[in-house]
Amino acid sequence: MTNEEEFSPSALGTKEHWDAVYSRELSSFKEYGDEGEIWFGEGSMARVIRWLNAHKVPQTASILDIGTGNGMLLVELANSGYCNLTGIDYCSDAVQLAKSICEKEGVSQNVHLQVTDFLEDFHPSKLFDICLDKGTFDAVSLDPTGATEKREQYVQSLSRALKPQGLFIITSCNWTKEELLRQFGGEFEFKDELPTPTFSFGGKAGHSVTAVVLEKRSSS
Ligand SMILES: C[S@@+](CC[C@H](N)C(=O)[O-])C[C@H]1O[C@@H](n2cnc3c(N)ncnc32)[C@H](O)[C@@H]1O
C-alpha cells in the first residue's frame, strides 16, 4: 500500500464491530475458557517482549497497551516480570474479558484495565514510558466516518500519553515502515524495526506484518 487513501473503510473500523467480536469472545471465555484471538499470532507478542528485554527496559517502566482487546499482551508482559501495566479499550466486553483473563492468570495486581476511547477521552494522570499498539491503529485507519481525521487524533492522543523520549512500539498489518514514519514522523522519530516473518510471492519477498519502535521527540 503506497497511498493511505487507497484503504477502503470497513466494519473493522467501527466500535459496533468490536463490541460484537468481544461480546462473542467474552461468552466463549465464560463457557469454554477460550481466551480468543491473538492478533498477528503469539510471535507478535514475543517479538515486543524480546525487544524490551534486549534493550534493558526496566520492569517497572509504565507501559500502556492501546486497544488491548483480550489483554493477552499484558498477560505475557506480566509473566515476563513487567509490573506497571495499563490496558485500555473502548469496548467494555474486551475490558471485561481482559480482566477475567488476568484474574485467571494471577496477574491482576500488575495490570490496570479501563474502558476508554483513546481518541476521545484519554487523559492519563501520569505519562507513560512506553505505549504499545498491536492492530489498533490498523482498526482506526479503517474508520468509515473519517479515517484521516481519526489517524491525526490518534497521533495527538499518543503524543499526550507518552513522556518525552517515551517509546511507541506498533505492530501493523496495514502499513509499511515508511508509511508509519510518514504518519507519526512529525512528533516521533524512528528508533528500530523489529524483525517480522517474510513471505515470498512471484520472486519478491515481503512482510505480512510491520513492527517498529518510534521515540517521542523531546520537543513535542
Ligand atoms: C485488531 S484488535 C487488536 C486487539 C489487541 N491489541 C490484540 O493484539 O489482540 C483492535 C482493538 O482496538 C480497539 N479499539 C479500536 N479503536 C479504539 C479506540 N478509539 N479506543 C480504544 N480502543 C480501540 C478494539 O476494540 C480492539 O480491541
Side-chain angles (χ1 to χ4, degrees):
M1 183 80 54
T2 51
N3 177 351
E4 65 200 63
E5 298 309 327
E6 288 171 34
F7 280 126
S8 307
S10 147
L12 268 76
T14 67
K15 184 167 181 299
E16 290 72 24
H17 172 81
W18 295 110
D19 281 340
V21 166
Y22 286 107
S23 160
R24 271 196 313 273
E25 294 209 349
L26 182 58
S27 302
S28 177
F29 179 76
K30 284 179 181 160
E31 211 165 326
Y32 312 109
D34 175 10
E35 279 115 8
E37 177 149 10
I38 296 181
W39 283 82
F40 311 141
E42 302 263 350
S44 65
M45 304 193 288
R47 271 193 294 278
V48 170
I49 295 171
R50 219 177 292 129
W51 192 92
L52 295 174
N53 290 340
H55 290 79
K56 304 206 176 341
V57 170
Q59 297 206 314
T60 52
S62 54
I63 301 179
L64 171 69
D65 186 25
I66 302 163
T68 195
N70 60 10
M72 284 305 292
L73 178 55
L74 296 171
V75 169
E76 292 300 310
L77 283 161
N79 284 335
S80 305
Y82 293 90
C83 59
N84 189 357
L85 304 169
T86 301
I88 59 160
D89 204 290
Y90 66 178
C91 174
S92 59
D93 280 348
V95 170
Q96 190 50 55
L97 175 63
K99 280 184 178 166
S100 305
I101 294 175
C102 284
E103 266 163 40
K104 181 180 159 203
E105 297 288 328
V107 299
S108 297
Q109 71 282 6
N110 296 325
V111 183
H112 172 69
L113 289 157
Q114 127 190 2
V115 181
T116 305
D117 185 331
F118 184 61
L119 304 187
E120 300 291 338
D121 45 30
F122 187 57
H123 304 285
S125 51
K126 283 190 188 156
L127 301 182
F128 291 90
D129 295 307
I130 296 179
C131 288
L132 305 176
D133 179 314
K134 194 158 67 64
T136 302
F137 185 68
D138 286 347
V140 166
S141 299
L142 297 172
D143 190 313
T145 66
T148 304
E149 189 194 347
K150 299 278 172 169
R151 286 196 290 270
E152 281 164 14
Q153 273 175 268
Y154 184 104
V155 179
Q156 295 310 316
S157 296
L158 178 65
S159 190
R160 276 202 308 274
L162 266 178
K163 291 179 184 170
Q165 294 182 294
L167 300 177
F168 175 50
I169 307 180
I170 177 167
T171 305
S172 167
C173 67
N174 279 353
W175 300 97
T176 63
K177 172 187 157 190
E178 290 70 27
E179 288 166 338
L180 287 170
L181 293 182
R182 269 204 296 282
Q183 293 281 336
F184 291 93
E187 313 210 20
F188 296 83
E189 59 193 46
F190 176 74
K191 189 170 171 74
D192 205 357
E193 181 168 17
L194 279 58
T196 53
T198 50
F199 66 92
S200 281
F201 187 75
K204 284 192 172 175
H207 293 262
S208 52
V209 175
T210 304
V212 293
V213 183
L214 305 179
E215 183 176 293
K216 186 177 162 185
R217 297 179 199 279
S218 350
S219 53
S220 305

